[in-house]
Amino acid sequence: MKDIRRKVRRSQTIVPFGVGGIVDLRGESFVAADIRSWAAAAERVESPRLARKLRVTGFRSAPVIPSGKAAYTTRVGPLYVRFPKWLFCPHCREMQLWRPDRELRDKQPACRRCAAKPQLAPMRFIQVCRAGHMADIDWRRWAHSRSEGHAQRQCQIRRLRFVTTPESFGLEALRVVCAVCRAGRNLAGISQKNILKQTGLPCPGTHPWQSETDEADTCEETPQAVQRGASNVYFPITHSAIDIPAPAGLSEDDELTQRVVNHFLWPNFNSANGSPISDSLKEVIADQCDVPKEFVENVRRRHADGAASMPSAADSDNDLSIAEWAAFSLPESVMDSETFSVRRSHLGIDPDDLGSMQELDASISAVVIADRVREVRALEGFSRYEPSSGDDEESEGGRVVSVNTQSRAQWLPAVETYGEGIFIAVDEERLSTWERLQSVRNWTRRIERDLNASYKADRLREKSGPHLLPRFVMLHTLAHHFIRQLSYDSGYNAASLRERVYAQSHAPGSEFPPQAGVFIYTAAGDAEGTLGGLVRQGQPPNLAETLIRLLESAQWCSQDPLCADSTGRSLANLNRAACHACTLLPETCCEIDNSLLDRTLLIGDGDVPGFFRRVVQAALQESAGAVDLP
């Protein structure tokens, strides 16, 4: 048998193969263990703003093994354990419960009974529960659950076979049979909701990397049988932040304050006031930031009084979009750095250009090109069977499992990626006038009623705000069509582009300005990280032409009129006029799972005026006038 090298890219250790995620490699199946298995060689990733929001000391990234060195390197990355442990031979159909002591380095498990020693295949079905546990199905008990006779009911032998019967088809044709007593049961109905509970198979309360004797929890959830590759096996909970440098023109004292607050130990020090560890943390921060200890204490005191001289307040720590919006809307306010370089641009529309271009120019208030940005993505935890709707264990949905299953995570796994992007902001005055239209408000309220009834409401409101605004749905839809059009114009694959939507109105008494814009960027962490395609498309006249084309294409969908007239699509009816043929994107592109999308608010229909309706109407009139009629 040939030696094999099992490789996972660094970015995949966050999504989709992060802690608790299943990865299939060459017919083998593994699951990523929690961060206790990470080696000390994990590289530190700096993102102070994200660390303060998630209340951790920092982030770590899996180290990269140099090309060609895998055969000479011991394990330095995250641990992946074989799962499921029940395997079967595709030739003799014998099932085997694989043990860790049978693992050989870079060798695939093989059948010892067959002369050809074929590779063993993992069983297709596993069991999960809403508490986040995942385990093998007890196939011995499943095979004997319909035993006939005393001998079959008393059989304790674990020798099983996974056979197929030609008399049936589908799951009825697949049977798990005891090789000794001949008891057996097919897989028909295994996906039914309470089938495992009826069979007497409880949840063991463990994760695949845990010991059932030492680390098992008492779990009262009903386990559910699912396919190993099903989409509801793993729901990762990730967070991301764009690295924003300090504002330009800060005084020396402000720069030192920024340095102290951005230290990875600052969250611990700020919350440890009066505790014995406070003095030790103060000394470390002062030494590494090259400031007196009294200065560090003064910063904490000003921070507690709400008068810290740093540019971001406590609210902006919880809402990362505030600092990002400030940096993009006023690019001259932040100084360029190795990780953040932005410059103001424009659409390049002249007074004598076409009417559609004039309307577009009046709708777009700012264009900013990001020549270089750095994004940090961190994995906080995961849920199974149903997406989590919050941290409350009593809330609907699956329970959140931390990346450290034994204690509170002090740090989180993360990956940093570099890329480029285009930021566009729409005119706030036009947008506010449009939002006040009664038809627009009524239309958005219908979507919000479905949002309130959804189990994803809490998680989606972290992005949309406490109240769903028309601007959020419109800008989110604009971002999706922007990505789809850029995938044609810029040369990037759509899956390598990501969105960030900034859509908040000015709340009474708030010190933060309203937000109305989108940022489309690349941050793939590989060769597609920075190729210059987006920068080129963001320069005049390319950007204006791209925006006109995306608005024209948004009018048509191959699923119309079903798509255009829809009153509720996708899970929980959270979309309106949006489907895979016109608006939806790969899951890696969207911040909120392809939800809250509607072409109607973007371009309008007979009853609801879209924000860019004037642009679309002018473009249609120009196209009709360009046709020579007989």
Side-chain angles (χ1 to χ4, degrees):
M1 184 184 301
K2 297 190 302 182
D3 288 354
I4 59 171
R5 305 288 178 224
R6 306 181 183 98
K7 301 177 182 178
V8 174
R9 291 168 51 192
R10 172 187 276 183
S11 60
Q12 294 175 326
T13 61
I14 306 302
V15 175
F17 307 139
V19 174
I22 295 179
V23 52
D24 287 316
L25 294 173
R26 300 177 180 177
E28 298 179 277
S29 180
F30 303 90
V31 64
D34 67 0
I35 60 175
R36 293 178 297 160
S37 66
W38 284 48
E43 301 176 9
R44 186 176 297 278
V45 177
E46 298 295 338
S47 182
R49 294 171 53 245
L50 188 58
R52 289 196 297 270
K53 176 184 178 180
L54 301 179
R55 294 177 175 83
V56 294
T57 58
F59 308 96
R60 299 181 189 177
S61 180
V64 173
I65 299 177
S67 178
K69 301 294 184 181
Y72 309 100
T73 306
T74 57
R75 188 188 68 82
V76 296
L79 175 66
Y80 287 81
V81 299
R82 190 177 300 281
F83 178 81
K85 294 182 177 63
W86 274 107
L87 312 175
F88 71 93
C89 175
H91 289 181
C92 68
R93 313 300 294 186
E94 191 82 15
M95 293 178 61
Q96 299 185 31
L97 183 60
W98 197 255
R99 300 188 307 272
D101 59 359
R102 296 176 62 180
E103 291 284 355
L104 297 176
R105 179 181 172 86
D106 297 328
K107 297 287 186 179
Q108 296 172 323
C111 180
R112 298 181 178 181
R113 298 180 179 274
C114 299
K117 295 184 177 181
Q119 176 184 339
L120 297 178
M123 291 295 290
R124 183 191 308 175
F125 284 90
I126 58 175
Q127 69 177 41
V128 299
C129 77
R130 288 183 177 85
H133 299 124
M134 182 170 67
D136 282 89
I137 295 176
D138 189 344
W139 292 113
R140 190 204 67 80
R141 195 163 181 175
W142 176 270
H144 293 82
S145 60
R146 294 182 176 176
S147 300
E148 298 177 357
H150 179 75
Q152 290 184 349
R153 287 193 292 269
Q154 297 299 319
C155 180
Q156 299 296 323
I157 305 299
R158 288 179 175 268
R159 188 179 172 188
L160 305 174
R161 299 183 71 235
F162 186 46
V163 300
T164 59
T165 56
E167 297 83 8
S168 305
F169 58 90
L171 294 179
E172 292 184 1
L174 302 176
R175 291 179 58 85
V176 178
V177 180
C178 178
V180 178
C181 69
R182 303 302 179 184
R185 182 176 178 180
N186 62 33
L187 301 188
I190 194 171
S191 297
Q192 293 179 6
K193 189 170 184 179
N194 294 318
I195 189 67
L196 296 184
K197 182 178 180 180
Q198 296 170 3
T199 310
L201 298 176
C203 176
T206 59
H207 304 283
W209 57 86
Q210 292 180 327
S211 168
E212 294 188 9
T213 57
D214 300 331
E215 300 180 275
D217 298 327
T218 301
C219 183
E220 299 180 357
E221 292 286 345
T222 301
Q224 307 294 336
V226 295
Q227 294 196 49
R228 190 180 71 251
S231 60
N232 63 345
V233 169
Y234 185 60
F235 297 100
I237 301 173
T238 60
H239 304 269
S240 67
I242 292 178
D243 190 11
I244 304 297
L250 289 180
S251 65
E252 181 179 358
D253 184 72
D254 286 337
E255 290 183 2
L256 294 177
T257 300
Q258 187 80 19
R259 190 186 311 170
V260 168
V261 174
N262 285 343
H263 194 278
F264 72 95
L265 289 178
W266 171 257
N268 287 352
F269 171 70
N270 196 35
S271 61
N273 192 12
S275 67
I277 200 176
S278 178
D279 291 338
S280 300
L281 293 173
K282 183 198 306 181
E283 185 175 351
V284 172
I285 294 175
D287 180 66
Q288 295 186 0
C289 294
D290 195 22
V291 297
K293 289 188 290 185
E294 293 76 11
F295 183 86
V296 178
E297 183 62 36
N298 289 335
V299 171
R300 177 166 65 179
R301 188 177 301 111
R302 296 198 305 270
H303 206 272
D305 295 338
S309 60
M310 50 177 275
S312 57
D315 289 341
S316 64
D317 289 340
N318 295 326
D319 188 353
L320 299 177
S321 69
I322 294 175
E324 294 173 8
W325 171 260
F328 285 125
S329 59
L330 295 172
E332 57 276 356
S333 66
V334 293
M335 52 187 179
D336 287 351
S337 66
E338 294 181 357
T339 61
F340 190 81
S341 176
V342 294
R343 52 190 168 91
R344 192 178 294 275
S345 183
H346 55 88
L347 294 177
I349 297 176
D350 298 325
D352 56 348
D353 281 338
L354 296 174
S356 59
M357 290 293 186
Q358 300 294 338
E359 290 289 348
L360 180 65
D361 192 38
S363 301
I364 303 298
S365 61
V367 176
V368 175
I369 295 176
D371 295 290
R372 187 167 178 82
V373 292
R374 172 180 176 265
E375 182 195 36
V376 174
R377 302 176 197 163
L379 176 66
E380 182 184 17
F382 63 89
S383 61
R384 300 198 191 278
Y385 194 68
E386 290 180 351
S388 170
S389 59
D391 296 331
D392 185 4
E393 293 186 3
E394 300 299 325
S395 61
E396 298 181 2
R399 191 178 307 166
V400 176
V401 180
S402 172
V403 291
N404 187 332
T405 53
Q406 286 297 100
S407 60
R408 182 184 180 278
Q410 299 298 316
W411 59 271
L412 299 177
V415 62
E416 59 180 353
T417 55
Y418 294 86
E420 57 178 340
I422 305 172
F423 171 83
I424 59 174
V426 301
D427 183 75
E428 178 63 31
E429 183 177 353
R430 272 200 172 198
L431 184 62
S432 299
T433 302
W434 172 75
E435 282 188 308
R436 287 193 293 267
L437 296 176
Q438 192 63 40
S439 59
V440 172
R441 295 169 60 185
N442 292 339
W443 188 264
T444 308
R445 286 196 190 103
R446 298 190 189 104
I447 304 177
E448 188 169 25
R449 282 198 293 267
D450 292 328
L451 174 60
N452 292 334
S454 170
Y455 65 89
K456 297 196 296 183
D458 293 340
R459 189 157 57 94
L460 293 180
R461 290 196 186 281
E462 292 181 3
K463 297 292 184 181
S464 66
H467 301 286
L468 183 63
L469 302 176
R471 69 174 67 196
F472 183 88
V473 180
M474 185 275 293
L475 289 170
H476 188 209
T477 309
L478 172 65
H480 276 234
H481 283 272
F482 201 3
I483 290 177
R484 292 172 71 98
Q485 190 62 45
L486 285 172
S487 67
Y488 301 129
D489 297 344
S490 67
Y492 281 107
N493 188 325
S496 66
L497 301 179
R498 292 172 63 87
E499 67 171 9
R500 296 185 87 83
V501 179
Y502 305 96
Q504 295 185 11
S505 62
H506 182 72
S510 175
E511 61 179 309
F512 302 112
Q515 303 175 7
V518 296
F519 179 51
I520 308 301
Y521 63 103
T522 67
D526 57 9
E528 283 198 287
T530 307
L531 298 178
L534 289 191
V535 170
R536 183 179 63 251
Q537 287 303 126
Q539 296 172 345
N542 298 332
L543 180 58
E545 296 174 356
T546 297
L547 292 174
I548 290 294
R549 281 197 294 269
L550 78 85
L551 292 175
E552 290 177 340
S553 64
Q555 301 176 84
W556 312 106
C557 174
S558 60
Q559 300 296 324
D560 283 342
L562 296 178
C563 178
D565 298 338
S566 172
T567 57
R569 301 177 68 93
S570 78
L571 193 62
N573 293 328
L574 294 180
N575 291 337
R576 290 301 187 264
C579 68
H580 284 284
C582 61
T583 307
L584 303 190
L585 292 172
E587 292 183 1
T588 55
C589 302
C590 183
E591 290 186 299
I592 53 174
D593 306 329
N594 276 323
S595 301
L596 303 180
L597 296 164
D598 184 11
R599 287 185 294 135
T600 301
L601 293 179
L602 182 67
I603 58 174
D605 63 6
D607 300 322
V608 181
F611 178 75
F612 288 97
R613 180 180 61 175
R614 296 180 184 177
V615 181
V616 173
Q617 289 178 343
L620 290 176
Q621 292 174 359
E622 292 161 3
S623 299
V627 177
D628 294 330
L629 299 177

